[in-house]
Amino acid sequence: MESRWELGALPQRRTSLPTEIAASLAARIRSGEIPPGTRLPSEPQLAQSMRVSRNSVREAISVLREQGLIETRQGIGTFSLDPSRDAYFPVDVGIEGLTSTTEMIRRAGHKPGTRDYQLQTGVGDAPARRQLVLPPDVPMHLLERVRTADDLPVILCRDYLGQSHVPARVMAQYRGDESLLLFLQRECQLKVQTARADIVPVLPTARVAEFLGVSRRRPLLALEQLHYDAGGSPFLYSENYFNLDYMGLHVRRTPVR
């Protein structure tokens, strides 16, 4: 189905231009103005119609793809998808890219937030210590917080770091309401180069269920992830528990060449 709608210029923006473009197109797709199966105009056509650069359009298209609102068929074009999945998962995110939870929620078109932030130092969680290859005498930080999307409790994040990487005085400056990855990069020059992630179905413990407000019989998905720096050394181990009452995960797959 070819597109038959006019976009026009964007209003005066208050956020980044690609975010504004993505939000404008997402609203048209969700409202039905752009029906499922519609072939979107090409990037040059969108850029001309909206009076923006092609780079901004390209970034916006990437955001919409992560939101599950469009798909690109190689050699054919970009098409809108049925947004009715949102009725089942108000927050639907792609997990292909290595991004912070904050950015993941934002790129899915929602407002990220934090509640119930707690920091403990000196914890002795043996599995996390093994993952981080920490000697027994090195204290470890544990950060716990509930991440929200438009005030919905979507993820319980547990992050483990050794004091050998992040001193206690630095960790005390973190307040839980910004991207931990950006904080570590800014304050400790620790930048994630790669990560190993495992996705595991779990039943919540009493503590996890209380944080997310779910029944202990309600299955969750746990994303267990070990982050490595440029030298290949692990410095951050994370356990993220996804609340499936509100959140869906998807992966965009392409043919193996």
Side-chain angles (χ1 to χ4, degrees):
M1 182 187 300
E2 293 289 343
S3 57
R4 293 285 186 270
W5 30 268
E6 293 293 330
L7 289 173
L10 292 169
Q12 184 176 5
R13 63 181 184 273
R14 298 178 182 176
T15 58
S16 72
L17 186 52
T19 299
E20 290 283 349
I21 297 169
S24 176
L25 290 171
R28 287 170 165 83
I29 293 172
R30 291 191 171 107
S31 70
E33 182 181 344
I34 302 177
T38 299
R39 181 178 177 178
L40 272 62
S42 66
E43 287 182 4
Q45 290 171 328
L46 282 172
Q48 182 178 10
S49 176
M50 304 182 86
R51 303 173 194 171
V52 297
S53 71
R54 286 186 62 179
N55 284 341
S56 294
V57 169
R58 188 173 298 115
E59 288 186 44
I61 292 297
S62 177
V63 170
L64 291 171
R65 192 179 296 115
E66 289 186 12
Q67 293 177 8
L69 293 175
I70 63 171
E71 67 176 2
T72 299
R73 303 170 192 170
Q74 190 169 4
I76 302 176
T78 299
F79 296 81
S80 59
L81 298 176
D82 186 350
S84 61
R85 177 179 169 89
D86 287 353
Y88 302 97
F89 298 110
V91 184
D92 188 23
V93 299
I95 56 173
E96 299 92 343
L98 181 53
T99 63
S100 67
T101 304
T102 300
E103 186 62 19
M104 179 192 299
I105 294 171
R106 182 177 291 121
R107 289 177 71 88
H110 302 274
K111 179 183 177 181
T114 301
R115 73 184 196 198
D116 301 326
Y117 171 62
Q118 299 181 21
L119 169 63
Q120 302 176 48
T121 297
V123 294
D125 185 272
R129 185 173 293 277
R130 284 196 299 270
Q131 292 281 356
L132 293 169
V133 198
L134 288 178
D137 59 337
V138 175
M140 190 164 55
H141 306 294
L142 167 59
L143 294 75
E144 284 186 308
R145 53 188 173 146
V146 174
R147 302 312 312 271
T148 61
D150 300 334
D151 297 323
L152 295 174
V154 292
I155 310 171
L156 170 62
C157 297
R158 284 180 170 165
D159 298 296
Y160 298 86
L161 300 118
Q163 278 200 34
S164 52
H165 287 105
V166 186
R169 59 177 176 77
V170 175
M171 199 71 260
Q173 299 173 23
Y174 185 67
R175 294 292 178 262
D177 55 357
E178 69 166 308
S179 164
L180 177 60
L181 298 185
L182 290 179
F183 174 84
L184 294 174
Q185 184 175 341
R186 183 181 69 243
E187 301 296 333
C188 305
Q189 290 72 56
L190 287 172
K191 184 176 181 180
V192 177
Q193 192 69 25
T194 59
R196 160 67 189 268
D198 294 296
I199 302 175
V200 184
V202 297
L203 288 175
T205 64
R207 184 174 178 82
V208 171
E210 181 180 0
F211 267 111
L212 290 175
V214 298
S215 165
R216 291 194 63 184
R217 295 187 295 272
R218 179 69 166 105
L220 307 175
L221 281 182
L223 181 68
E224 301 171 352
Q225 191 159 257
L226 186 60
H227 304 75
Y228 298 85
D229 62 19
S233 298
F235 69 90
L236 169 64
Y237 177 64
S238 300
E239 297 171 346
N240 292 338
Y241 297 90
F242 290 83
N243 183 352
L244 301 182
D245 285 343
Y246 301 121
M247 195 160 202
L249 307 178
H250 66 261
V251 177
R252 295 292 170 195
R253 305 179 70 193
T254 57
V256 176
R257 301 187 183 281

